[in-house]
Amino acid sequence: MPAENFEEEGLAKIPNLELANLKFLLSTTNNVNDEKIKAELFEAIKAGSMAPFYEEVCSDLGWTVDAALLENMKKDNEIKLKEFDDSMVDAETNQGEMEVRDIMLKKAEYYSSIGAKDLALAQFRKTGEKTLTLGYRLDMMFHQIRIGLFYMDHTLIKTSLEKAQALIDEGGDWDRRNRLKVYRGLYCMSVRDFKTAAGLFLDTVATFTSYELMDYKAFVTYTVFCSMIALSRPDLREKVVRGAEILEVLHGLPDIRKYLFSLYNCQYAEFFTHLAEVESSMKHDRYLSHHYRFYAREMRILAYTQLLESYRSLTLDYMSKAFGVTTNFIDQELSRFIAAGRLHCKIDKVGGVVETNRPDSKNWQYQETIKKGDILLNRIQKLSRVINI
């Protein structure tokens, strides 16, 4: 997919996930008093007469409710819903099942657009009962997944993804199959399953049309983040570093490009600088804010492992200069990760040297088998005593 705008190929942006992002930003410490973001969210709420969402925002963010505005928005909602009800009566009397279904669907989408989550889901269920076409049913499932993403309702997202997959297995078309991969990838990323997310995102880089979720630059950014933590170095080179579609977009994302290539080209001091920037951006990302500490830690371990694999031993001073940090920082970091079994090396504090002790995979498997075998035998012995009694 070229970097130019193909947003008309996406589904309608209902609910508008950008509003959920704005609300999230206003809940973060750095942006809690950001008047520009607050004004943007407020104007969007007024423009869409989003009375239910306005009440939710006021409650969650501690805004003072403008009673007159809320009343006017509720009246606008009632007028619009009455129009749907009148159209429904006319369609049931004078038109066919298709027209009735279309009005029911529009009503469900309207509930979704104003932030009436429960009413929207109930209306979608009613509409689903009158819908036989596979494509329409899938589009309704996609909409319900978006509602789940808007509210980060994991139960709703999971059940809707499962239903959508079942419908796809019945014979969904190529476009909807690819769309489901993006939806599933975004959810996997939000629950820290970076490996699955990376695979799904990479499968759809060339065919991305899910602009109702995010723009293409954001999609490529997420793809790079997930791929760097999940893929082996050869796979990263093949699928990302040499990926034509990704490289095309990275020209417009210089910071993400430097982050990717600084690790790949073993420029560790530069990588640490860009990792700090990525960590900061993740704190303000609705899908990744809960995982930024984990992500930064795992990427540091990845960088240390990549350097240590090239040497039998190297000095703490060399490592500290390579990563652009102090010797004490490297000493503490390596000690912590060695103790946790994440790095295969040992530190000679007196000599100021780090010695690698890469495990032999066959020997490790043998030792692991012996260990698990002993545990199994002990459990069998305990069980036999209980049975004998």
Side-chain angles (χ1 to χ4, degrees), residues 10 70 84 102 193 297:
L70 180 59
F84 284 125
D102 287 344
D193 185 358
R297 182 179 70 246

Side-chain angles (χ1 to χ4, degrees), residues 19-59:
L19 300 186
N21 291 336
L22 293 174
K23 182 190 168 196
F24 169 76
L25 287 174
L26 288 170
S27 70
T28 61
T29 306
N30 290 352
N31 298 298
V32 67
N33 295 315
D34 191 312
E35 293 300 327
K36 183 180 178 182
I37 297 175
K38 192 179 292 186
E40 186 178 351
L41 179 58
F42 186 67
E43 288 303 317
I45 289 171
K46 280 204 303 184
S49 294
M50 301 174 70
F53 185 57
Y54 178 61
E55 290 180 294
E56 178 190 320
V57 168
C58 290
S59 173

Side-chain angles (χ1 to χ4, degrees), residues 299-352:
M299 291 308 297
R300 293 201 307 277
I301 292 172
L302 184 62
Y304 294 141
T305 302
Q306 184 170 286
L307 176 62
L308 290 167
E309 281 179 346
S310 304
Y311 300 91
R312 289 184 64 86
S313 66
L314 66 169
T315 64
L316 285 169
D317 185 57
Y318 174 83
M319 283 195 72
S320 66
K321 288 177 180 176
F323 286 97
V325 296
T326 65
T327 305
N328 283 338
F329 178 85
I330 281 289
D331 184 22
Q332 291 173 7
E333 279 266 283
L334 295 184
S335 299
R336 184 156 57 95
F337 294 141
I338 290 168
R342 302 302 308 280
L343 290 176
H344 302 292
C345 59
K346 58 184 179 180
I347 300 173
D348 179 355
K349 185 69 173 175
V350 176

Side-chain angles (χ1 to χ4, degrees), residues 72-346:
N72 287 335
M73 290 194 294
K74 285 184 175 180
K75 286 180 181 176
D76 289 343
N77 295 161
E78 289 170 3
I79 291 169
K80 188 70 177 176
L81 290 169
K82 188 175 185 308
E83 289 176 5
F84 284 125
D85 292 339
D86 292 343
S87 299
M88 179 71 70
V89 171
D90 178 64
E92 289 175 339
T93 305
N94 303 313
Q95 300 179 53
E97 283 291 321
M98 184 176 293
E99 288 74 18
V100 171
R101 183 196 60 77
D102 287 344
I103 294 168
M104 292 179 72
L105 180 58
K106 287 177 181 176
K107 187 175 181 180
E109 290 175 343
Y110 181 72
Y111 276 134
S112 176
S113 71
I114 62 174
K117 175 188 174 185
D118 293 337
L119 291 172
L121 293 174
Q123 186 65 28
F124 272 118
R125 282 193 290 273
K126 290 179 185 176
T127 309
E129 293 170 3
K130 290 185 173 291
T131 304
L132 299 176
T133 309
L134 185 62
Y136 280 118
R137 286 156 64 198
L138 268 169
D139 288 343
M140 286 194 289
M141 279 298 117
F142 287 135
H143 196 128
Q144 289 173 70
I145 296 168
R146 293 199 301 278
I147 292 175
L149 290 168
F150 190 92
Y151 294 98
M152 291 311 290
D153 183 336
H154 293 285
T155 302
L156 175 60
I157 298 169
K158 285 179 69 176
T159 54
S160 299
L161 282 171
E162 289 168 3
K163 290 177 182 176
Q165 186 61 58
L167 292 172
I168 286 289
D169 292 341
E170 288 180 26
D173 59 57
W174 173 85
D175 177 68
R176 290 184 173 92
R177 285 178 183 275
N178 282 305
R179 192 178 301 278
L180 181 60
K181 287 183 180 180
V182 179
Y183 279 64
R184 187 180 294 280
L186 185 59
Y187 174 67
C188 287
M189 183 185 73
S190 73
V191 295
R192 203 184 284 181
D193 185 358
F194 294 118
K195 188 174 181 64
T196 302
L200 292 167
F201 285 161
L202 288 167
D203 282 348
T204 52
V205 164
T207 56
F208 178 81
T209 56
S210 302
Y211 291 97
E212 67 278 7
L213 296 182
M214 67 193 104
D215 62 33
Y216 194 51
K217 284 188 175 181
F219 173 72
V220 169
T221 298
Y222 287 148
T223 302
V224 170
F225 286 173
C226 293
S227 298
M228 287 179 70
I229 194 172
L231 300 185
S232 64
R233 186 176 170 84
D235 286 341
L236 186 68
R237 179 183 64 245
E238 186 68 28
K239 298 178 180 179
V240 181
V241 173
R242 294 181 179 175
E245 291 89 358
I246 292 176
L247 289 176
E248 184 180 354
V249 178
L250 287 181
H251 285 298
L253 297 168
D255 291 339
I256 304 302
R257 190 177 190 280
K258 289 174 184 174
Y259 172 60
L260 168 64
F261 280 93
S262 60
L263 177 66
Y264 181 73
N265 294 328
C266 306
Q267 298 163 336
Y268 297 114
E270 186 180 342
F271 170 72
F272 262 32
T273 301
H274 293 301
L275 178 60
E277 294 169 358
V278 167
E279 183 179 4
S280 179
S281 71
M282 284 184 170
K283 289 180 185 177
H284 301 96
D285 186 289
R286 203 161 61 93
Y287 303 112
L288 294 169
S289 60
H290 294 298
H291 314 304
Y292 72 89
R293 287 192 183 91
F294 170 85
Y295 185 89
R297 182 179 70 246
E298 292 301 310
M299 291 308 297
R300 293 201 307 277
I301 292 172
L302 184 62
Y304 294 141
T305 302
Q306 184 170 286
L307 176 62
L308 290 167
E309 281 179 346
S310 304
Y311 300 91
R312 289 184 64 86
S313 66
L314 66 169
T315 64
L316 285 169
D317 185 57
Y318 174 83
M319 283 195 72
S320 66
K321 288 177 180 176
F323 286 97
V325 296
T326 65
T327 305
N328 283 338
F329 178 85
I330 281 289
D331 184 22
Q332 291 173 7
E333 279 266 283
L334 295 184
S335 299
R336 184 156 57 95
F337 294 141
I338 290 168
R342 302 302 308 280
L343 290 176
H344 302 292
C345 59
K346 58 184 179 180

Side-chain angles (χ1 to χ4, degrees), residues 370-380:
I370 295 295
K371 181 180 176 182
K372 289 182 177 178
D374 285 341
I375 293 171
L376 179 61
L377 287 172
N378 288 335
R379 288 179 178 171
I380 291 172

